[in-house]
C-alpha cells in the first residue's frame, strides 16, 4: 500500500516548507518499563524536529533490535512493531535530512560496533569535518567494510554513519565509553548524540551546545531528550541539561558524566525563534515566554496604526500575542483552520490551484474586511508564504496588511543542523527591507533587530549562535562550502569572523 512521505505540508502553500530542524533524539534507560513505547511517545513529542523518517533501537542486555522506516512516527510504528521493541533501554530518532539524502538507508538509529558488542546511535545536528573523520577511519583500516563500517557499506551517506563507524573502530579492547571520550574531541560541528550498546545508554553534546539536550528522571530510570517537552510527555522530571562538551553514561550503577572538551557556549538562537516547541525550556528560559517578548520588542521597534494583530499560522502566535499586548491593538484570528486535515499527500492539479482551493486555511472575511491588519510571523525565508498570505488577506477585503517579523532577515545558510534554503534562495540575500516588502506585497514590513531578538532570550549575546542572521559562524563551515561563502576553511577551531 502506498504510504505518505511524512512531510507536513505548510498551511498556506502545500509545496512550501519553512526552516526545518535536522532531528529529534530520545533515549531511555528504565528496567521494568516498556521502553519501546516510552521512546515512541518521546519521539511523538519531538515530531516537529524531523518528519522524514523515524526509528527506535532497544536492548534487553544481550540482544539489540532496531526498527525504522520513512514517514512520521505514527506511520512507522504500530502496536505490533512496538510490541517487539522490548528491553531495559532504548534510543529513538526522528529525522529531517541535512547531510545525506532522504531515503531508508539514511534513517536512524544507525548500527555499528564490533564482533562482541553492537552500537546504535542517533544524532541531532550537522558535522563540518566529515572528510577529516573519513581519513581517521581510513587510518584505522575502516573504509566502508567490516562491522565498524557496516552502515557505510549498506549505503548510508550521512555524517552519523561516519561517527557510528568511528566509535566502533578502536577494537575489542576499548570500551564504548573509552572510545567516546577519545573520539568525541575529534568531531567538529553541532551534535547531540544519544547512543547505546547492549547494556548502557550514552549521551553527548558538542562543546558549543548548539542544539538542546536535556536529562530527565523517571521513577525507575532516566531519560535523555532534545527538548524538555518530551520529558513532560513521558512523565519524567527535568534534572538538568547535558552540558556542552559532556559525555553522560547511564547504566545499572546510575548516572555519571565526564567532560571531554572545554565548553564554549553558542546555543542556536533560532531554537527560541521557531524550532523548539513553545512548551520547551532552553537554558532556563521558556520558549513561549521568549517568543511573546520578541513580539513586545517588535511592537516597540516597529509600531503601526492598525485595527487588529493576527498571527501567521501557527508559529507566529506567541509573538503576535506579545505585539498586541505591547501595542494595545486588539488580537484576533483572521483565518480558520480545518482541524481535521492534518496533512495531505495528494498534490492539487493546476486547475485546482487556479481555483484557489484552500484545504487547510480560509479567511474570516467578516473579521478581515475593511481592517488594517498587523500580521506577525517568526521569519521570512523565501518569501513565498508571506506573499501568498498577503494576497489571501487582500482578497478577503483587508484595507491594509502590515507584516512584522520576530527575527531579523535570514541572509545566511545554517551548517549546524537547520535545513534552510540555499543562500541564493533566501529572499533577504541582496535585497533591503523595502525591496522585500515590495516582493511580498505588504503595506509595510518590519523585522525585529538582532539586539531585540537576543534580549528576549535572556541569554548573553556571546553564548548564542546567530550565524543565519549575522553570517558569523562560530564553528567554521564545511570545506565544500568555502567557495560558496567566500571564507577560508577553519573547521578545526571555533571562530567568529564575519563572512
Amino acid at each position: 500500500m502506498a504510504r505518505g512521505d511524512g512531510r507536513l505540508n505548510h498551511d498556506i502553500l502545500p509545496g512550501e516548507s519553512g526552516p526545518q530542524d535536522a532531528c529529534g533524539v530520545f533515549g531511555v534507560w528504565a528496567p521494568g518499563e516498556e521502553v519501546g513505547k516510552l521512546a515512541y511517545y518521546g519521539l511523538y513529542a519531538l515530531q516537529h524536529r524531523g518528519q522524514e523518517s523515524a526509528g527506535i533501537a532497544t536492548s534487553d542486555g544481550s540482544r539489540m533490535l532496531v526498527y525504522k522506516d520513512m514517514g512520521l512516527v505514527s506511520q512507522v510504528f504500530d502496536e505490533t512493531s512496538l510490541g517487539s521493541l522490548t528491553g531495559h533501554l532504548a534510543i529513538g530518532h526522528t529525522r529531517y535530512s541535512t547531510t545525506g539524502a532522504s531515503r531508508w538507508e539514511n534513517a536512524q538509529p544507525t548500527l555499528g560496533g564490533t564482533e562482541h558488542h553492537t552500537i546504535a546511535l542517533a544524532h541531532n545536528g550537522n558535522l563540518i569535518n566529515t572528510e577529516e573523520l573519513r581519513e581517521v577511519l581510513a587510518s584505522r583500516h575502516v573504509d566502508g567494510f567490516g562491522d565498524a563500517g557496516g552502515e557505510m557499506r549498506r549505503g548510508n551517506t550521512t555524517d552519523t554513519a561516519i561517527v557510528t563507524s568511528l566509535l566502533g573502530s578502536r577494537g575489542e579492547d576499548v570500551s564504548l565509553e573509552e572510545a567516546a571520550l577519545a573520539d568525541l574531541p575529534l568531531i567538529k560541528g553541532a551534535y547531540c548524540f544519544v547512543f547505546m550498546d547492549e547494556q548502557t545508554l550514552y549521551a553527548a553534546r558538542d562543546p558549543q551546545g548548539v542544539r538542546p539536550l536535556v536529562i530527565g528522571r523517571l521513577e525507575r530510570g532516566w531519560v535523555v531528550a532534545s527538548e524538555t517537552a518530551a520529558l513532560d510527555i513521558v512523565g519524567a522530571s527535568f534534572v538538568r541539561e547535558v552540558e556542552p562538551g559532556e559525555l553522560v553514561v547511564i547504566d545499572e550503577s546510575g548516572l555519571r558524566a565526564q567532560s571531554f572538551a572545554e565548553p564554549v557556549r553558542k546555543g542556536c538562537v533560532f531554537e527560541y525563534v521557531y524550532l523548539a516547541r513553545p512548551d520547551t525550556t532552553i537554558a532556563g528560559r521558556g520558549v513561549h515566554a521568549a517568543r511573546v517578548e520578541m513580539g513586545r520588542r517588535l511592537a516597540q521597534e516597529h509600531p503601526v496604526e492598525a485595527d487588529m494583530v493576527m498571527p501567521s499560522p501557527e508559529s507566529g502566535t506567541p509573538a503576535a500575542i506579545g505585539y498586541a499586548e505591547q501595542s494595545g491593538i486588539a488580537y484576533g484570528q483572521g483565518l480558520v483552520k480545518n482541524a481535521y486535515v492534518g496533512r495531505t499527500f495528494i498534490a492539487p492539479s493546476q486547475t485546482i490551484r487556479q481555483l484557489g482551493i484552500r484545504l487547510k486555511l480560509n479567511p474570516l472575511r467578516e473579521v478581515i474586511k475593511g481592517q488594517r491588519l498587523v500580521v506577525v510571523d517568526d521569519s521570512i525565508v523565501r518569501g513565498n508564504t508571506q506573499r501568498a498570505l498577503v494576497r489571501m488577506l487582500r482578497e478577503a477585503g483587508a484595507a491594509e496588511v502590515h507584516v512584522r517579523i520576530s527575527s531579523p532577515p535570514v541572509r545566511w545558510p545554517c551548517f549546524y543542523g537547520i535545513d534552510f534554503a540555499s543562500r541564493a534562495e533566501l529572499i533577504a540575500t541582496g535585497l533591503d527591507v523595502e525591496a522585500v516588502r515590495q516582493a511580498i506585497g505588504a503595506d509595510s514590513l518590519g523585522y525585529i533587530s538582532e539586539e531585540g531578538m537576543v534580549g528576549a532570550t535572556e541569554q548573553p549575546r556571546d553564548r548564542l549562535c546567530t550565524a543565519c542572521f549575522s553570517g558569523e559562524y562560530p564553528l567554521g563551515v564545511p570545506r565544500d562550502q568555502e567557495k560558496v561563502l567566500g571564507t577560508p576553511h577553519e573547521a578545526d577551531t571555533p571562530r567568529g569572523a564575519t563572512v
Side-chain angles (χ1 to χ4, degrees), residues 339-410:
Y340 296 96
V341 182
R343 56 194 61 87
T344 176
F345 303 108
I346 301 173
S349 67
Q350 182 61 28
T351 301
I352 293 175
R353 286 184 187 275
Q354 290 173 348
L355 290 173
I357 187 169
R358 299 185 181 108
L359 184 62
K360 294 186 177 183
L361 288 172
N362 209 35
L364 281 166
R365 297 178 187 275
E366 66 275 16
V367 174
I368 293 170
K369 188 174 181 179
Q371 298 296 292
R372 298 170 298 173
L373 303 176
V374 179
V375 181
V376 181
D377 206 347
D378 58 86
S379 59
I380 299 180
V381 181
R382 295 177 180 87
N384 297 332
T385 297
Q386 287 76 18
R387 187 181 301 113
L389 179 57
V390 170
R391 185 186 308 118
M392 183 189 298
L393 295 173
R394 291 202 188 282
E395 290 173 355
E400 298 174 7
V401 181
H402 303 274
V403 175
R404 296 293 181 266
I405 306 298
S406 59
S407 64
V410 178

Side-chain angles (χ1 to χ4, degrees), residues 297-305 323 327 329 374 404 444:
R297 295 181 181 228
L298 183 58
Q300 293 172 342
E301 294 180 7
H302 296 284
V304 65
E305 290 188 8
Y323 194 102
S327 66
I329 303 171
V374 179
R404 296 293 181 266
S444 71

Side-chain angles (χ1 to χ4, degrees), residues 29 74 454:
W29 191 94
S74 60
V454 169

Side-chain angles (χ1 to χ4, degrees), residues 156-431:
N156 192 314
T157 59
T158 67
D159 50 6
T160 310
I162 295 173
V163 174
T164 308
S165 299
L166 194 71
L167 292 175
S169 65
R170 287 184 173 269
E172 297 292 346
D173 297 333
V174 179
S175 70
L176 182 53
E177 183 174 349
E178 292 170 334
L181 288 170
D183 285 336
L184 287 170
L186 305 178
I187 302 169
K188 308 300 180 186
Y191 59 84
C192 288
F193 296 135
V194 176
F195 54 108
M196 60 185 277
D197 55 23
E198 284 82 356
Q199 300 286 344
T200 307
L201 175 66
Y202 303 85
R205 194 176 178 200
D206 67 78
Q208 288 72 33
V210 176
R211 301 274 153 239
L213 190 64
V214 295
I215 301 169
R217 190 75 164 99
L218 292 168
E219 184 177 349
R220 294 192 288 182
W222 299 88
V223 171
V224 181
S226 292
E227 296 186 27
T228 60
L231 305 183
D232 299 336
I233 296 299
V234 300
S237 57
F238 172 75
V239 176
R240 65 175 178 87
E241 292 186 353
V242 176
E243 293 297 320
E246 182 179 52
L247 173 68
V248 172
V249 182
I250 302 171
D251 58 18
E252 60 186 5
S253 300
L255 182 149
R256 61 184 183 276
Q258 295 185 63
S259 176
F260 62 84
E262 190 71 23
V264 184
R265 284 187 178 269
K266 292 291 180 182
C268 173
V269 73
F270 210 73
E271 293 280 354
Y272 292 97
V273 171
Y274 173 81
L275 293 178
R277 282 174 52 142
D279 52 344
T280 280
T281 298
I282 301 176
R285 176 61 162 162
V287 170
H288 176 80
R291 291 174 184 169
V292 171
E293 180 61 21
M294 288 175 196
R296 293 193 187 103
R297 295 181 181 228
L298 183 58
Q300 293 172 342
E301 294 180 7
H302 296 284
V304 65
E305 290 188 8
D307 304 306
M308 187 175 85
V309 177
M310 60 171 283
S312 175
E314 291 180 356
S315 55
T317 299
I321 291 170
Y323 194 102
E325 289 178 354
Q326 181 65 40
S327 66
I329 303 171
Y331 175 89
Q333 293 287 347
L335 297 164
V336 171
K337 185 172 184 177
N338 183 349
Y340 296 96
V341 182
R343 56 194 61 87
T344 176
F345 303 108
I346 301 173
S349 67
Q350 182 61 28
T351 301
I352 293 175
R353 286 184 187 275
Q354 290 173 348
L355 290 173
I357 187 169
R358 299 185 181 108
L359 184 62
K360 294 186 177 183
L361 288 172
N362 209 35
L364 281 166
R365 297 178 187 275
E366 66 275 16
V367 174
I368 293 170
K369 188 174 181 179
Q371 298 296 292
R372 298 170 298 173
L373 303 176
V374 179
V375 181
V376 181
D377 206 347
D378 58 86
S379 59
I380 299 180
V381 181
R382 295 177 180 87
N384 297 332
T385 297
Q386 287 76 18
R387 187 181 301 113
L389 179 57
V390 170
R391 185 186 308 118
M392 183 189 298
L393 295 173
R394 291 202 188 282
E395 290 173 355
E400 298 174 7
V401 181
H402 303 274
V403 175
R404 296 293 181 266
I405 306 298
S406 59
S407 64
V410 178
R411 293 195 171 99
W412 301 89
C414 176
F415 302 109
Y416 308 145
I418 307 176
D419 185 21
F420 274 127
S422 67
R423 188 157 193 243
E425 294 176 290
L426 297 172
I427 192 172
T429 300
L431 294 181

